[in-house]
Structure formats: structure tokens, C-alpha cells
């Protein structure tokens, strides 16, 4: 039995599928299945069974889950203790929505490194709303950035609002308004459009947009470029897309559901449990310097250039 196997089991159980765990870890589904198979062999129990469209814990799996979660957390404490004893830099692992990772997070991390004066090794990646919550809860990430995912109601996490944003819908500056209701338009989204807890996913659900009217692009910038060429309409944070609107590449369309609130939150463990590096980064996120970056970030880095921190934590050992 290894920590990797236990961590994989926790992710599959909490996220509800092998596929969701594989996407979070940025590994193949077969790699996740192999880790589960090894754990099943070790305990002599299936632990998780397929049930309908999801997964169901066996009685043994249900008893193992809270114990496995504690063991994964203890492993995080052990790694932090060893790093401190060796005098190694603090570790900070941040997961965020694809939009924040693309446009905002690189500049935030760089500014934090310059201003904090701490020796910190920072890594970051993209995760859906449910995955961000699970990763932070189980000490596989330190900070989750994006829409509020109800963490404060659980009592296990803290969700702090950081930046008030608005979600709008844009199309090409010279494109006519699409005919029919918004549910019949061609919608251009990045991966957040497939996440029911992301702002874009929530918007599509409110407007009743069916899957056949949605086209997914590698990143947010690609959706805006396609919209500018007349391929459809795209959700966008108003302040991030405003330069393209001012350059008359895009224009904002009114819909029954937009503009809508898209406030960004930081999800972290409660005080006294989270690491000093997490406390320092959370403090920085509330500073005027961080607010300026979130309002007008520099050139972003595509999320494809980064791996989720859990990839290194679980699979690199």
C-alpha cells in the first residue's frame, strides 16, 4: 500500500468517477485504475463499485475513506516537517479555474514571490469546482481560486471573496445578433463551460443550452478569437475581455442571464491547519497589489503549460 494509492482512492471516492480523478491528476484513466486495483488487492475488497452512472463505496470502502483521508493529510504534514528540517523552501500549491490560470494566476504568483520575501516553491494548475474543494480538503492543494463552491457551508474549509467580477457574453463586433433564444445560439467555451460549478457552466445551465450547441476550445483566448471571427458567442469576465471590446474586436450581447455576478473566491483550510505559506499567500491576495493584478493582469500563460500540483505530489514520487 502506498500514499499514491490512498490518495487516488480518496479522489475517486470524493469526485465520483475514475475519469474525474484522472483529469484532476492529469494522468490516464488506466493509471488511476491500476492504483485502485493495487489497493483492492492489498485489502482484499473491491472498495468501490460502479453503480448506474457513478461509483458506490462498498461497506469496507466507506470505512476506509475517512481513514485514508487522514493518512493522506498526515503524509502532507510529514512532508512539510521534513522540508522544514532540511531548510527547504515552503511549498505552495494553487489550483484555479482555467480562466484564472490563463490570465491572472501567473502574474499573482510572480508578484507574491517578489513581495513576500519568503522562500517558497509555488506550483499551480487547473481544476474544476468540485476538484478544487476535494484537493484542498485532503491537503493535496493549498489554495483553490475561482467561484464559490459552497465550502464555507461544510465547515471544513474557508471561502473568502477576493474580487468582484461580472460575467458577460461577447460576439464579433460586426456579427449580427444570433437569431432565436440564447439556448439556440452557438456557444464557444473553454473547459470551464463543461464544469457545472464554474461561472460559464452555470450560465449555460441557466439559459438551458443543450450540449449540441456548445463547442469547447483549449483556452479562453481561443474562444474570444473564434467569437471575433463570427463563429458564435462566448462567456467572458467583463474586465478581462474589455480590451478586445475597446479595440472593437468584440461587442457585448445582453442576455436574460447576463451580466451576472462572477465573484472570485479563495478556498483554504481553516486557520491553524493551513501552512504558513498559505497564510502568507492569502494575506497577499487581499492586498491592493493583488487586486490591481486581478483587475488588469499582465500577459497570461496558457494552462496547458502547467500541471496540476497533485500530479507532482502523487505521481512524481
Amino acid at each position: 500500500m502506498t500514499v499514491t494509492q490512498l490518495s487516488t482512492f480518496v479522489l475517486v471516492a470524493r469526485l465520483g468517477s475514475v475519469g474525474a480523478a484522472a483529469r484532476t491528476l492529469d494522468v490516464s484513466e488506466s493509471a488511476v485504475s491500476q492504483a485502485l486495483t493495487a489497493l483492492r488487492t492489498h485489502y482484499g475488497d473491491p472498495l468501490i463499485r460502479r453503480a448506474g452512472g457513478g461509483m458506490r463505496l462498498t461497506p469496507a470502502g466507506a470505512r476506509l475513506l475517512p481513514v485514508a483521508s487522514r493518512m493522506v493529510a498526515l503524509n502532507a504534514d510529514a512532508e512539510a516537517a521534513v522540508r522544514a528540517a532540511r531548510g527547504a523552501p515552503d511549498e505552495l500549491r494553487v489550483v484555479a479555474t482555467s480562466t484564472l490560470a490563463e490570465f491572472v494566476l501567473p502574474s499573482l504568483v510572480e508578484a507574491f514571490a517578489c513581495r513576500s520575501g519568503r522562500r517558497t516553491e509555488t506550483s499551480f494548475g487547473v481544476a474544476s469546482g468540485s476538484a478544487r474543494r476535494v484537493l484542498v480538503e485532503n491537503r493535496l492543494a493549498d489554495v483553490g481560486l475561482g467561484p464559490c463552491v459552497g465550502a464555507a457551508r461544510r465547515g471544513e474549509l474557508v471561502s473568502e471573496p477576493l474580487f468582484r467580477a461580472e460575467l458577460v457574453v461577447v460576439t464579433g463586433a460586426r456579427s449580427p445578433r444570433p437569431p432565436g433564444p440564447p439556448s439556440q445560439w452557438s456557444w464557444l467555451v473553454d473547459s470551464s463551460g463543461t464544469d457545472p460549478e464554474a461561472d460559464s457552466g452555470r450560465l449555460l445551465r441557466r439559459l438551458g443550452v443543450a450540449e449540441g450547441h456548445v463547442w469547447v476550445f483549449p483556452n479562453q483566448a481561443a474562444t474570444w478569437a473564434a467569437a471575433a471571427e463570427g463563429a458564435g458567442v462566448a462567456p467572458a469576465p467583463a474586465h478581462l475581455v474589455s480590451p478586445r471590446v475597446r479595440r472593437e474586436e468584440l461587442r457585448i450581447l445582453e442576455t436574460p442571464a447576463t451580466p451576472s455576478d462572477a465573484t472570485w473566491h479563495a478556498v483554504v483550510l481553516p486557520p491553524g491547519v493551513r501552512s504558513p505559506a498559505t497564510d502568507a499567500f492569502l494575506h497577499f491576495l487581499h492586498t491592493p497589489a493583488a487586486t490591481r493584478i486581478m483587475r488588469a493582469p499582465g500577459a497570461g500563460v496558457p494552462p496547458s503549460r502547467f500541471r496540476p500540483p497533485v500530479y507532482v505530489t502523487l505521481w512524481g514520487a
Side-chain angles (χ1 to χ4, degrees):
M1 182 186 66
T2 67
V3 175
T4 294
Q5 294 161 8
L6 289 173
S7 301
T8 303
F9 167 72
V10 169
L11 286 177
V12 173
R14 300 293 192 196
L15 297 177
S17 73
V18 169
R23 287 190 295 273
T24 301
L25 294 169
D26 195 24
V27 298
S28 67
E29 291 189 20
S30 63
V32 172
S33 296
Q34 288 171 12
L36 283 179
T37 297
L39 200 63
R40 287 163 166 161
T41 301
H42 176 82
Y43 285 114
D45 188 272
L47 301 178
I48 301 179
R49 298 183 188 274
R50 295 190 181 277
M55 311 288 286
R56 181 175 58 83
L57 291 169
T58 66
R63 292 194 177 191
L64 174 62
L65 181 56
V67 178
S69 295
R70 291 196 297 271
M71 293 174 73
V72 172
L74 286 171
N75 180 69
D77 288 339
E79 290 186 352
V82 172
R83 290 176 69 90
R86 291 172 42 231
D90 293 339
E91 185 178 35
L92 179 68
R93 302 158 299 172
V94 185
V95 287
T97 64
S98 54
T99 298
L100 268 72
E102 182 177 353
F103 292 99
V104 177
L105 199 48
S107 299
L108 278 177
V109 168
E110 181 179 2
F112 170 68
C114 293
R115 295 169 182 266
S116 69
R118 301 180 64 90
R119 296 174 60 235
T120 306
E121 291 181 357
T122 304
S123 58
F124 65 89
V126 179
S128 67
S130 57
R132 289 195 304 276
R133 182 173 58 242
V134 170
L135 290 171
V136 175
E137 281 177 347
N138 291 278
R139 307 284 295 277
L140 299 172
D142 301 302
V143 183
L145 298 179
C148 181
V149 291
R153 293 195 299 269
R154 297 175 62 89
E156 301 171 358
L157 299 176
V158 176
S159 181
E160 295 190 4
L162 297 176
F163 184 82
R164 179 74 178 271
E166 275 193 338
L167 191 70
V168 298
V169 175
V170 295
T171 189
R174 295 169 182 79
S175 300
R177 184 180 178 86
S183 61
Q184 300 300 311
W185 297 351
S186 294
W187 288 86
L188 318 174
V189 300
D190 65 353
S191 60
S192 65
T194 65
D195 178 5
E197 294 184 276
D199 293 318
S200 295
R202 290 170 178 170
L203 173 63
L204 297 183
R205 188 168 63 251
R206 287 199 300 270
L207 293 174
V209 180
E211 184 177 329
H213 292 277
V214 180
W215 281 261
V216 182
F217 287 74
N219 53 56
Q220 186 78 84
T223 70
W224 298 345
E229 295 173 358
V233 303
H239 69 292
L240 294 182
V241 80
S242 61
R244 294 173 184 250
V245 174
R246 288 195 298 268
R247 293 196 298 266
E248 298 185 346
E249 298 172 9
L250 296 167
R251 65 185 179 91
I252 296 176
L253 286 177
E254 290 187 3
T255 77
T258 56
S260 60
D261 176 73
T263 300
W264 297 341
H265 289 70
V267 175
V268 294
L269 291 169
V273 181
R274 56 190 182 232
S275 68
T278 302
D279 277 328
F281 186 62
L282 188 62
H283 173 77
F284 168 73
L285 291 174
H286 287 288
T287 64
T291 301
R292 285 194 297 271
I293 292 172
M294 288 184 274
R295 182 180 297 114
V301 178
S304 59
R305 288 182 52 185
F306 292 88
R307 294 296 187 215
V310 291
Y311 178 87
V312 176
T313 302
L314 298 183
W315 299 95

